[in-house]
Amino acid sequence: MDKKLFEILACPHCKGDLRYDKSAAELICRPCGMAYPIRDGIPVMLENEARTLTTDERLEGGEAPSQEDTSA
């Protein structure tokens, strides 16, 4: 995912920060407990497309994007 795109994205519900989970291809909002999918390199920032995080996922630390993770 493009680093510049990631820097301007925010949770559509609470406007909070998102964490990038490369292995699941999702953007995670811990305060809302939602995970927004990334399909074909494009974040799908629609609440009806997001999934609810499990309790364990909400308690785990997120993976912050690194330089190599955010390259297209």
Side-chain angles (χ1 to χ4, degrees):
M1 194 172 90
D2 181 44
K3 184 177 180 176
K4 288 184 181 184
L5 175 62
F6 180 78
E7 289 173 355
I8 63 171
L9 288 176
C11 174
H13 181 72
C14 74
K15 310 299 184 239
D17 291 333
L18 297 167
R19 294 196 182 262
Y20 177 46
D21 183 344
K22 184 178 180 180
S23 63
E26 293 178 324
L27 294 173
I28 308 293
C29 178
R30 294 220 186 280
C32 290
M34 302 298 286
Y36 298 92
I38 300 171
R39 297 187 185 127
D40 297 322
I42 301 169
V44 181
M45 305 302 291
L46 302 170
E47 290 183 56
N48 63 339
E49 292 286 328
R51 71 175 182 87
T52 303
L53 297 177
T54 65
T55 302
D56 289 341
E57 288 174 318
R58 288 188 81 163
L59 296 175
E60 291 174 2
E63 179 185 38
S66 65
Q67 185 68 21
E68 61 262 302
D69 289 345
T70 56
S71 60

